[in-house]
Amino acid sequence: MANVIQPSNHVGFDSITHQIERRLLKRGFQFNIMVVGQSGLGKTTLVNTLFASHLADSCGRIDPSEDFSRTPDIKVVSHVVEESGVRLRLNIIDTPGYGDQVNNEKCWDPIVKYIKDQHSQYLRKELTAQRDRYLPDTRVHCVLYFIQPTGHGLKPIDIVVLKKLTETANVVPVIAKSDSLTLVERERFKRQLQEEFAYHKLRLYPNDSYEEYDEDDRRLNQQIKQMLPFAIVGSEKLVTVNGKEVRGRVHRWGVINVEDEKHCEFPHLRNFLISTRLQDLIETTAHIHYESFRAKQLLALKGNSAAATSSQAQHSSNQAGSTTQQQQQQQQQQQQQQHGVQPQQQAAAAAMVGASSSVTPSRSGSTQPYSNGK
Ligand SMILES: Nc1nc2c(ncn2[C@@H]2O[C@H](COP(=O)(O)OP(=O)(O)OP(=O)(O)O)[C@@H](O)[C@H]2O)c(=O)[nH]1
Ligand SMILES: [Mg+2]
């Protein structure tokens, strides 16, 4: 490694961080977050609680005469939030709850497809000849996965959906509506879920395999893993507690203050998502999930073009083979005229020529594109 030289006078290149900061502030940041889980677990409500503003319509039924109105399709709400001059473009992807149909097979497919579609859109833009300097990023940076507060561990549908989601995105699990659990139940449920995550080998966020993580990052990741899944409570309603307006849920016996960490872990989740891991979620999406998608797609593309070239080669070799076949037949006819060979024997010989001529070129056709690509 080159020697590090300390200049004797101030040169000024230490201002590069400010220069980068100014450029980044001008450009702004993009964060895409998705909420996934079974019906009625408070996904839409949490989205609005998280960013302290009404961003999506919650679908709870207020008037009994109304129909149950649920989030019907995948809905993307875009907002720009600004704090101390930092502009954050926020895409919130609210998904319809699943799991309450008679047949729940593949009900999560549209959600997984949405995530993959964003990756393929980005890849397409990246591969165009004249691409934009900054590609619009719609890749899902974080999936908040809602677990029902049953106290009995994961349901089979949770395991299936979590497996699918963790293959394509950063997944952060949360215990929904945790106000229905006592503190002891909540802790026990959390430990049980952590054991199940390990047993089913679910690669949840944070993923230690990311090579950019140093010792400190890995230590922090261990602490985060101990806290997952966050036991949250959501509410859009403002209530007055000690003369202060807070987001909370009013019960006969008192008020749950969503913002109070003694009541629930919503403040931990918000702190984790927005204050400490926002950049890491964006970066790991690009470097782990998108990279693996990109590599798979490009290898498949290469494989397809190799197959196409090989079949083309085979086709032309077959043509060459049939020409040879015709020549052979003519020769044999001449021989027959000379030596009196039977027509059946002639046909068998022609077939053999055809077969052998089709094998040889196809071998070279399939290997060539790979060596070209190297
Ligand atoms: N007790 C309790 N109720 C909640 C909580 N969060 C939301 N709710 C209520 O649960 C009901 C459903 O909330 P939504 O946010 O519409 O649920 P959802 O998961 O978006 O539902 P779908 O779109 O149908 O999947 C509403 O009446 C909410 O007020 C919570 O943390 N605790
Ligand atoms: Mg909803």
Side-chain angles (χ1 to χ4, degrees), residues 176-191:
K177 297 188 175 179
S178 71
D179 49 331
S180 61
L181 298 169
T182 67
L183 281 179
V184 175
E185 285 167 350
R186 198 171 90 178
E187 270 320 293
R188 205 188 310 133
F189 190 40
K190 200 182 255 209
R191 300 294 151 235

Side-chain angles (χ1 to χ4, degrees), residues 142-200:
C142 178
V143 176
L144 285 184
Y145 187 83
F146 285 61
I147 298 167
Q148 204 175 351
T150 55
H152 294 303
L154 292 172
K155 292 182 172 186
I157 196 168
D158 289 325
I159 299 164
V160 177
V161 180
L162 278 171
K163 279 224 161 110
K164 292 263 168 224
L165 289 173
T166 47
E167 282 165 14
T168 45
N170 286 325
V171 180
V172 175
V174 296
I175 301 173
K177 297 188 175 179
S178 71
D179 49 331
S180 61
L181 298 169
T182 67
L183 281 179
V184 175
E185 285 167 350
R186 198 171 90 178
E187 270 320 293
R188 205 188 310 133
F189 190 40
K190 200 182 255 209
R191 300 294 151 235
Q192 186 182 352
L193 290 174
Q194 283 170 358
E195 280 169 23
E196 288 194 40
F197 294 152
Y199 178 79
H200 294 290

